[in-house]
Amino acid sequence: MLKRAITLDEASYYARTDYAYLLACLGRHEEAIAQAREGAERNPVLPFVIANEARVLYLARRYDEAVAKARHAIALDSTHFLAYERLAFALSAQRKDAEAIEMMARAVALAPGDQRLKGALGYMLARGGRRAEARSILASLMRGRERSVAPSGTATALLQAGLGDTSEAVRWLERAERERDVEMMQLMTWPVWDPLRTDPRFDELLARMNFPAPKS
């Protein structure tokens, strides 16, 4: 359907960015980057499109390029919270923990109601050695669940992964799959899940979601 939408309107940045993201989630990184770049070339002043290119590069583990694209998106619009989020994840992958925390905190400040971003901030705080603050965010997320202000299961799993509790992180991913959490689209390629990939339950999740088998 997305390919058909692009055929009908090659300038449709929504269809092209969504298609690029889908390809990235399936591990088809070169195709994903090509689609994202085409979208950026056609819409060079839209921060949403540039931030999507940063996300696709990050999922392909091309972190330097992802950082550059996210910074470009921020230069276009300093209030675009998704650009800060993408920058934070790419910086975290480079183990630039202090700046990653700063950028994710800005994303949270711009979108304070987004529980997913709060989970990501907790993840980065944990990786940066600020475990007490990370656990405070985790407790806040759990209180939200008690009040039926439920954060996504992946947000909780991400924070648990940052704290090093990989078994609990996988348990929350299993819950996220049952809840049809949209962030599970990234299960196969998101670098944050690398510490969980040796758990047999992780492979079972991938199989249940019909992801292609990993290349040997």
Side-chain angles (χ1 to χ4, degrees):
M1 185 179 293
L2 289 170
K3 289 176 70 175
R4 176 63 174 161
I6 293 168
T7 301
L8 293 171
D9 182 4
E10 292 189 355
S12 173
Y13 57 85
Y14 282 118
R16 198 175 290 278
T17 54
D18 285 352
Y19 186 46
Y21 177 53
L22 174 61
L23 290 168
C25 290
L26 294 173
R28 294 164 59 179
H29 295 300
E30 293 306 315
E31 294 172 79
I33 291 167
Q35 288 292 333
R37 284 184 172 162
E38 177 73 13
E41 288 170 3
R42 290 177 178 274
N43 304 276
V45 298
L46 291 180
F48 168 78
V49 176
I50 307 303
N52 180 70
E53 188 177 2
R55 175 171 61 177
V56 166
L57 288 162
Y58 164 73
L59 291 175
R61 300 168 188 261
R62 292 166 63 163
Y63 302 130
D64 289 347
E65 294 170 79
V67 165
K69 291 297 180 182
R71 291 194 194 281
H72 182 199
I74 291 168
L76 290 170
D77 181 358
S78 62
T79 68
H80 190 66
F81 75 91
L82 289 175
Y84 289 102
E85 178 204 29
R86 275 88 195 249
L87 177 56
F89 273 114
L91 290 167
S92 180
Q94 296 177 322
R95 293 315 308 250
K96 296 178 179 178
D97 296 320
E99 189 179 3
I101 291 167
E102 179 186 355
M103 294 300 105
M104 190 57 74
R106 291 189 189 183
V108 170
L110 288 166
D114 193 325
Q115 300 297 303
R116 180 182 55 86
L117 293 177
K118 291 179 181 176
L121 177 58
Y123 166 80
M124 290 171 193
L125 286 165
R127 280 169 61 85
R130 295 162 62 176
R131 295 176 64 83
E133 293 168 83
R135 290 191 181 281
S136 178
I137 292 176
L138 178 59
S140 175
L141 294 180
M142 299 311 295
R143 286 194 299 272
R145 279 194 168 268
E146 292 170 3
R147 299 192 306 270
S148 297
V149 185
S152 70
T154 50
T156 311
L158 180 59
L159 217 164
Q160 295 284 12
L163 289 165
D165 193 342
T166 56
S167 179
E168 189 68 2
V170 174
R171 188 179 75 82
W172 275 99
L173 286 179
E174 290 175 325
R175 182 166 181 166
E177 187 238 345
R178 292 194 298 272
E179 294 175 347
R180 299 291 191 267
D181 187 331
V182 68
E183 293 294 315
M184 290 294 284
M185 280 185 64
Q186 300 181 120
L187 187 67
M188 190 175 89
T189 57
W190 205 4
V192 298
W193 303 136
D194 285 356
L196 315 183
R197 297 184 192 280
T198 56
D199 190 312
R201 293 174 297 166
F202 193 90
D203 284 340
E204 291 167 7
L205 273 172
L206 290 172
R208 284 201 299 274
M209 294 180 67
N210 294 316
F211 277 105
K215 294 180 181 179
S216 58

